[in-house]
Amino acid sequence: MTALRQWFPTVPMLVWGRLYNREAFTNDMVAALIVTIMLIPQSLAYALLAGLPPEVGLYASVAPLLLYAVLGSSRVLAVGPVAVVSLMTAAAVAEHAAAGTHAYWQVAITLAFLSGGMLLIMGFLRLGFLANFLSHPVISGFISASGLLIALSQIKTLMGVKAEGHNFVELLSALMHQASNLHLLTLGVGFAATVFLFWVRKGLKPLLIAAGLKPKLADVLAKAGPVAAIALTTALAWALDWQGQGMKLVGTVPQGLPPLTAPLWDLALWQELWVPALLISVVGFVESVSVGQTLAAKRRQRIEPDQELVALGASNLSAAFTGGFPVTGGFARSVVNFDAGAVTPAAGVYTAVGITLASLFLTPALYYLPQATLAATIIVAVLSLVDFGIFKSTWRFSKLDFIAVATTLLATLLVGVETGLVLGVVVSLALFLFRASRPHMATVGLVPGTEHFRNVLRHNVLTSPKLVCLRVDASLFFANARGVEDRINAEVAAHPGLEHVVLQCSAVNDIDASALESLEAIASRMKDSGIALHFSEIKGPVMDKLNTTHFLQHLHGRVFLTNYQAIQALTPEVIR
């Protein structure tokens, strides 16, 4: 019972479920209708993108929604197949089986199982903070590159040709070699569908409102644009016998509920899949948390990252046991769910019911659906993920962040999604260590008529040739201890008449053993040179750590409460 009491408070459904009422039911049903309309074509398209039969996309959109509704902390996050994770799934599974085969599907199921298990373990260990180590520039560069790769990979379907490749250059080269074999009818249908879907995203809603429709109804109809494209091209393919003219159609899509499946219990396979599964888990978690936090903030709500790990882990495990593949919270469908008025995760339950009904009754109608239409759906969806503006903004704001973005994007395009992401993370961490090893230190002086100190290079301040005051704007640890030591030595060498050095520690939150040893060495050398090392504005926790050592007892200088007191005691002539 004690274990149950500890677990139940972490089940969000027990919180929002007690407050559920008729108004919430109405809002959630309307949102579910809109999201279901949007999710059906997306699920089919992303399954094909992952190299799986289209019905697998529907399977992956049922059980995960139900599990997330019970365990998820976001009120509006919509879980299911997404473009980037589908691409990563295809890249991982293609190493072990041929696309379209039953073995390929089994490996994808196993990948979902491993990803779900990892997320669940990270959630129970409360490792949600690890997402903070994936910087925004790295994620933005990775998603933009993935969007370009996905869009390019779908061009072959629009052209009606076969073109394979593991990176941008290989895909582009293969497409150029196949240009003479393109199928004009397929290209025409795919191009028309792409143009229509781009127009629907921006132009249909204002047109419908101008025609007299209410904004909410106009929004619903605009979101149904992909469904309209699918319905129209499917009808034309059937009526005009496009299959007989060489166009590739979706073909037979099995009817029925998601099947009960199980992962492959092959330890050798698990050893080869654990890295892709971990990358998929981390990318999916970061995307979900980013979307969830953004939408929650708009309603003054909050999400729990550790709870999200548990919810996404359970969702992926459910996908593995119901014939699906790795899933996560999708940006587009979550925004649609939010805008449509969803107030609780029950909207996801109603969406799952809608997808189930589609699996039972609508799949025969998909036989004549042109694959080019689904490719157009993917292209329009993923190009919205591409953000070239971040190159300009990071170049102007931080050259190091620009390096991280450019490295991640180029590596993902030229080498592959997994290597690109790993390299982006490595570069990001390397740049972080580079920054950390070069802490900002400013020589400061007294602002006349005040007790404030400012950078001598930026302000007209009072100083003394007998004293140098250095403000250290970082915690002191092994990576930057040498940099601090070098800066102090440089100041000593540049001031022949120097008698005192004061380290202003107002921004120092911690000092580790390596930095303490470095400070001891600095103080000893300065004492031998007749220069006293002093400290000011040391924070309480840092002082507590220093008091556990003999450093302050052997210090030739003093520790001052404020920098102003240091100036009063050491160089009073500056104040007069």
PDB file of all heavy atoms in Angstrom, residues 331-353:
ATOM      1  N   PHE A 331       5.161  18.342 -32.750  1.00  0.00           N
ATOM      2  CA  PHE A 331       4.976  19.790 -32.658  1.00  0.00           C
ATOM      3  C   PHE A 331       3.680  20.227 -33.335  1.00  0.00           C
ATOM      4  O   PHE A 331       2.834  20.884 -32.728  1.00  0.00           O
ATOM      5  CB  PHE A 331       6.171  20.501 -33.301  1.00  0.00           C
ATOM      6  CG  PHE A 331       6.008  21.999 -33.357  1.00  0.00           C
ATOM      7  CD1 PHE A 331       6.206  22.769 -32.230  1.00  0.00           C
ATOM      8  CD2 PHE A 331       5.643  22.635 -34.543  1.00  0.00           C
ATOM      9  CE1 PHE A 331       6.048  24.143 -32.281  1.00  0.00           C
ATOM     10  CE2 PHE A 331       5.484  24.001 -34.602  1.00  0.00           C
ATOM     11  CZ  PHE A 331       5.698  24.762 -33.468  1.00  0.00           C
ATOM     12  N   ALA A 332       3.502  19.844 -34.598  1.00  0.00           N
ATOM     13  CA  ALA A 332       2.361  20.345 -35.371  1.00  0.00           C
ATOM     14  C   ALA A 332       1.033  19.901 -34.766  1.00  0.00           C
ATOM     15  O   ALA A 332       0.134  20.713 -34.538  1.00  0.00           O
ATOM     16  CB  ALA A 332       2.469  19.877 -36.825  1.00  0.00           C
ATOM     17  N   ARG A 333       0.903  18.611 -34.484  1.00  0.00           N
ATOM     18  CA  ARG A 333      -0.384  18.118 -33.976  1.00  0.00           C
ATOM     19  C   ARG A 333      -0.660  18.629 -32.562  1.00  0.00           C
ATOM     20  O   ARG A 333      -1.820  18.824 -32.184  1.00  0.00           O
ATOM     21  CB  ARG A 333      -0.420  16.595 -34.019  1.00  0.00           C
ATOM     22  CG  ARG A 333       0.510  15.883 -33.089  1.00  0.00           C
ATOM     23  CD  ARG A 333       0.259  14.380 -33.147  1.00  0.00           C
ATOM     24  NE  ARG A 333       0.623  13.851 -34.445  1.00  0.00           N
ATOM     25  CZ  ARG A 333       1.764  13.223 -34.698  1.00  0.00           C
ATOM     26  NH1 ARG A 333       2.630  13.062 -33.719  1.00  0.00           N
ATOM     27  NH2 ARG A 333       2.041  12.758 -35.882  1.00  0.00           N
ATOM     28  N   SER A 334       0.380  18.870 -31.764  1.00  0.00           N
ATOM     29  CA  SER A 334       0.169  19.404 -30.419  1.00  0.00           C
ATOM     30  C   SER A 334      -0.317  20.854 -30.479  1.00  0.00           C
ATOM     31  O   SER A 334      -1.197  21.262 -29.715  1.00  0.00           O
ATOM     32  CB  SER A 334       1.470  19.320 -29.603  1.00  0.00           C
ATOM     33  OG  SER A 334       1.864  17.984 -29.418  1.00  0.00           O
ATOM     34  N   VAL A 335       0.261  21.621 -31.399  1.00  0.00           N
ATOM     35  CA  VAL A 335      -0.192  23.009 -31.573  1.00  0.00           C
ATOM     36  C   VAL A 335      -1.635  23.030 -32.055  1.00  0.00           C
ATOM     37  O   VAL A 335      -2.457  23.840 -31.596  1.00  0.00           O
ATOM     38  CB  VAL A 335       0.736  23.758 -32.555  1.00  0.00           C
ATOM     39  CG1 VAL A 335       0.155  25.130 -32.907  1.00  0.00           C
ATOM     40  CG2 VAL A 335       2.124  23.919 -31.951  1.00  0.00           C
ATOM     41  N   VAL A 336      -1.972  22.135 -32.989  1.00  0.00           N
ATOM     42  CA  VAL A 336      -3.353  22.052 -33.475  1.00  0.00           C
ATOM     43  C   VAL A 336      -4.281  21.661 -32.328  1.00  0.00           C
ATOM     44  O   VAL A 336      -5.369  22.220 -32.160  1.00  0.00           O
ATOM     45  CB  VAL A 336      -3.455  21.028 -34.628  1.00  0.00           C
ATOM     46  CG1 VAL A 336      -4.909  20.742 -34.970  1.00  0.00           C
ATOM     47  CG2 VAL A 336      -2.715  21.547 -35.860  1.00  0.00           C
ATOM     48  N   ASN A 337      -3.868  20.708 -31.523  1.00  0.00           N
ATOM     49  CA  ASN A 337      -4.660  20.274 -30.370  1.00  0.00           C
ATOM     50  C   ASN A 337      -4.900  21.439 -29.408  1.00  0.00           C
ATOM     51  O   ASN A 337      -6.014  21.641 -28.905  1.00  0.00           O
ATOM     52  CB  ASN A 337      -3.919  19.143 -29.646  1.00  0.00           C
ATOM     53  CG  ASN A 337      -4.819  18.313 -28.752  1.00  0.00           C
ATOM     54  OD1 ASN A 337      -5.993  18.107 -29.057  1.00  0.00           O
ATOM     55  ND2 ASN A 337      -4.280  17.838 -27.651  1.00  0.00           N
ATOM     56  N   PHE A 338      -3.856  22.224 -29.183  1.00  0.00           N
ATOM     57  CA  PHE A 338      -3.952  23.394 -28.297  1.00  0.00           C
ATOM     58  C   PHE A 338      -4.891  24.448 -28.890  1.00  0.00           C
ATOM     59  O   PHE A 338      -5.799  24.950 -28.212  1.00  0.00           O
ATOM     60  CB  PHE A 338      -2.556  23.975 -28.095  1.00  0.00           C
ATOM     61  CG  PHE A 338      -2.518  25.218 -27.252  1.00  0.00           C
ATOM     62  CD1 PHE A 338      -2.391  25.130 -25.877  1.00  0.00           C
ATOM     63  CD2 PHE A 338      -2.598  26.479 -27.833  1.00  0.00           C
ATOM     64  CE1 PHE A 338      -2.351  26.272 -25.087  1.00  0.00           C
ATOM     65  CE2 PHE A 338      -2.561  27.631 -27.068  1.00  0.00           C
ATOM     66  CZ  PHE A 338      -2.436  27.531 -25.687  1.00  0.00           C
ATOM     67  N   ASP A 339      -4.656  24.788 -30.160  1.00  0.00           N
ATOM     68  CA  ASP A 339      -5.472  25.816 -30.807  1.00  0.00           C
ATOM     69  C   ASP A 339      -6.932  25.400 -30.935  1.00  0.00           C
ATOM     70  O   ASP A 339      -7.836  26.257 -30.940  1.00  0.00           O
ATOM     71  CB  ASP A 339      -4.911  26.144 -32.200  1.00  0.00           C
ATOM     72  CG  ASP A 339      -3.571  26.865 -32.128  1.00  0.00           C
ATOM     73  OD1 ASP A 339      -3.266  27.424 -31.059  1.00  0.00           O
ATOM     74  OD2 ASP A 339      -2.831  26.844 -33.124  1.00  0.00           O
ATOM     75  N   ALA A 340      -7.177  24.090 -31.053  1.00  0.00           N
ATOM     76  CA  ALA A 340      -8.550  23.614 -31.207  1.00  0.00           C
ATOM     77  C   ALA A 340      -9.315  23.608 -29.888  1.00  0.00           C
ATOM     78  O   ALA A 340     -10.513  23.321 -29.869  1.00  0.00           O
ATOM     79  CB  ALA A 340      -8.538  22.202 -31.801  1.00  0.00           C
ATOM     80  N   GLY A 341      -8.618  23.897 -28.775  1.00  0.00           N
ATOM     81  CA  GLY A 341      -9.311  24.042 -27.506  1.00  0.00           C
ATOM     82  C   GLY A 341      -9.226  22.872 -26.560  1.00  0.00           C
ATOM     83  O   GLY A 341      -9.962  22.828 -25.564  1.00  0.00           O
ATOM     84  N   ALA A 342      -8.345  21.903 -26.803  1.00  0.00           N
ATOM     85  CA  ALA A 342      -8.202  20.771 -25.882  1.00  0.00           C
ATOM     86  C   ALA A 342      -7.795  21.290 -24.506  1.00  0.00           C
ATOM     87  O   ALA A 342      -6.927  22.161 -24.384  1.00  0.00           O
ATOM     88  CB  ALA A 342      -7.169  19.789 -26.408  1.00  0.00           C
ATOM     89  N   VAL A 343      -8.419  20.739 -23.463  1.00  0.00           N
ATOM     90  CA  VAL A 343      -8.112  21.178 -22.103  1.00  0.00           C
ATOM     91  C   VAL A 343      -7.529  20.061 -21.238  1.00  0.00           C
ATOM     92  O   VAL A 343      -6.957  20.338 -20.186  1.00  0.00           O
ATOM     93  CB  VAL A 343      -9.360  21.773 -21.409  1.00  0.00           C
ATOM     94  CG1 VAL A 343      -9.775  23.072 -22.078  1.00  0.00           C
ATOM     95  CG2 VAL A 343     -10.515  20.782 -21.414  1.00  0.00           C
ATOM     96  N   THR A 344      -7.667  18.813 -21.659  1.00  0.00           N
ATOM     97  CA  THR A 344      -7.105  17.688 -20.907  1.00  0.00           C
ATOM     98  C   THR A 344      -6.582  16.638 -21.874  1.00  0.00           C
ATOM     99  O   THR A 344      -6.930  16.637 -23.064  1.00  0.00           O
ATOM    100  CB  THR A 344      -8.162  17.012 -19.991  1.00  0.00           C
ATOM    101  OG1 THR A 344      -9.057  16.240 -20.799  1.00  0.00           O
ATOM    102  CG2 THR A 344      -8.941  18.039 -19.185  1.00  0.00           C
ATOM    103  N   PRO A 345      -5.757  15.703 -21.379  1.00  0.00           N
ATOM    104  CA  PRO A 345      -5.277  14.606 -22.242  1.00  0.00           C
ATOM    105  C   PRO A 345      -6.380  13.678 -22.717  1.00  0.00           C
ATOM    106  O   PRO A 345      -6.111  12.797 -23.546  1.00  0.00           O
ATOM    107  CB  PRO A 345      -4.287  13.858 -21.328  1.00  0.00           C
ATOM    108  CG  PRO A 345      -3.852  14.869 -20.327  1.00  0.00           C
ATOM    109  CD  PRO A 345      -5.061  15.722 -20.072  1.00  0.00           C
ATOM    110  N   ALA A 346      -7.610  13.861 -22.202  1.00  0.00           N
ATOM    111  CA  ALA A 346      -8.714  13.033 -22.703  1.00  0.00           C
ATOM    112  C   ALA A 346      -8.909  13.234 -24.201  1.00  0.00           C
ATOM    113  O   ALA A 346      -9.409  12.331 -24.891  1.00  0.00           O
ATOM    114  CB  ALA A 346     -10.005  13.361 -21.958  1.00  0.00           C
ATOM    115  N   ALA A 347      -8.512  14.400 -24.716  1.00  0.00           N
ATOM    116  CA  ALA A 347      -8.587  14.634 -26.158  1.00  0.00           C
ATOM    117  C   ALA A 347      -7.778  13.583 -26.905  1.00  0.00           C
ATOM    118  O   ALA A 347      -8.158  13.152 -27.999  1.00  0.00           O
ATOM    119  CB  ALA A 347      -8.089  16.041 -26.493  1.00  0.00           C
ATOM    120  N   GLY A 348      -6.641  13.152 -26.323  1.00  0.00           N
ATOM    121  CA  GLY A 348      -5.844  12.099 -26.931  1.00  0.00           C
ATOM    122  C   GLY A 348      -6.560  10.769 -26.958  1.00  0.00           C
ATOM    123  O   GLY A 348      -6.419   9.996 -27.905  1.00  0.00           O
ATOM    124  N   VAL A 349      -7.350  10.500 -25.905  1.00  0.00           N
ATOM    125  CA  VAL A 349      -8.129   9.262 -25.872  1.00  0.00           C
ATOM    126  C   VAL A 349      -9.155   9.259 -27.000  1.00  0.00           C
ATOM    127  O   VAL A 349      -9.318   8.253 -27.716  1.00  0.00           O
ATOM    128  CB  VAL A 349      -8.837   9.106 -24.509  1.00  0.00           C
ATOM    129  CG1 VAL A 349      -9.730   7.869 -24.512  1.00  0.00           C
ATOM    130  CG2 VAL A 349      -7.809   9.018 -23.388  1.00  0.00           C
ATOM    131  N   TYR A 350      -9.847  10.387 -27.170  1.00  0.00           N
ATOM    132  CA  TYR A 350     -10.858  10.468 -28.239  1.00  0.00           C
ATOM    133  C   TYR A 350     -10.196  10.388 -29.612  1.00  0.00           C
ATOM    134  O   TYR A 350     -10.761   9.802 -30.545  1.00  0.00           O
ATOM    135  CB  TYR A 350     -11.664  11.765 -28.105  1.00  0.00           C
ATOM    136  CG  TYR A 350     -12.249  11.980 -26.736  1.00  0.00           C
ATOM    137  CD1 TYR A 350     -12.344  13.246 -26.175  1.00  0.00           C
ATOM    138  CD2 TYR A 350     -12.706  10.903 -25.979  1.00  0.00           C
ATOM    139  CE1 TYR A 350     -12.887  13.450 -24.913  1.00  0.00           C
ATOM    140  CE2 TYR A 350     -13.235  11.092 -24.709  1.00  0.00           C
ATOM    141  CZ  TYR A 350     -13.317  12.360 -24.178  1.00  0.00           C
ATOM    142  OH  TYR A 350     -13.837  12.546 -22.922  1.00  0.00           O
ATOM    143  N   THR A 351      -9.002  10.955 -29.740  1.00  0.00           N
ATOM    144  CA  THR A 351      -8.262  10.847 -31.000  1.00  0.00           C
ATOM    145  C   THR A 351      -7.897   9.391 -31.283  1.00  0.00           C
ATOM    146  O   THR A 351      -8.002   8.926 -32.429  1.00  0.00           O
ATOM    147  CB  THR A 351      -6.987  11.705 -30.953  1.00  0.00           C
ATOM    148  OG1 THR A 351      -7.330  13.072 -30.716  1.00  0.00           O
ATOM    149  CG2 THR A 351      -6.212  11.599 -32.262  1.00  0.00           C
ATOM    150  N   ALA A 352      -7.475   8.670 -30.253  1.00  0.00           N
ATOM    151  CA  ALA A 352      -7.147   7.252 -30.416  1.00  0.00           C
ATOM    152  C   ALA A 352      -8.367   6.457 -30.880  1.00  0.00           C
ATOM    153  O   ALA A 352      -8.253   5.558 -31.723  1.00  0.00           O
ATOM    154  CB  ALA A 352      -6.611   6.686 -29.099  1.00  0.00           C
ATOM    155  N   VAL A 353      -9.541   6.803 -30.340  1.00  0.00           N
ATOM    156  CA  VAL A 353     -10.779   6.144 -30.784  1.00  0.00           C
ATOM    157  C   VAL A 353     -11.027   6.435 -32.259  1.00  0.00           C
ATOM    158  O   VAL A 353     -11.390   5.540 -33.044  1.00  0.00           O
ATOM    159  CB  VAL A 353     -11.978   6.601 -29.927  1.00  0.00           C
ATOM    160  CG1 VAL A 353     -13.280   6.059 -30.502  1.00  0.00           C
ATOM    161  CG2 VAL A 353     -11.803   6.147 -28.486  1.00  0.00           C
TER     162      VAL A 353
END
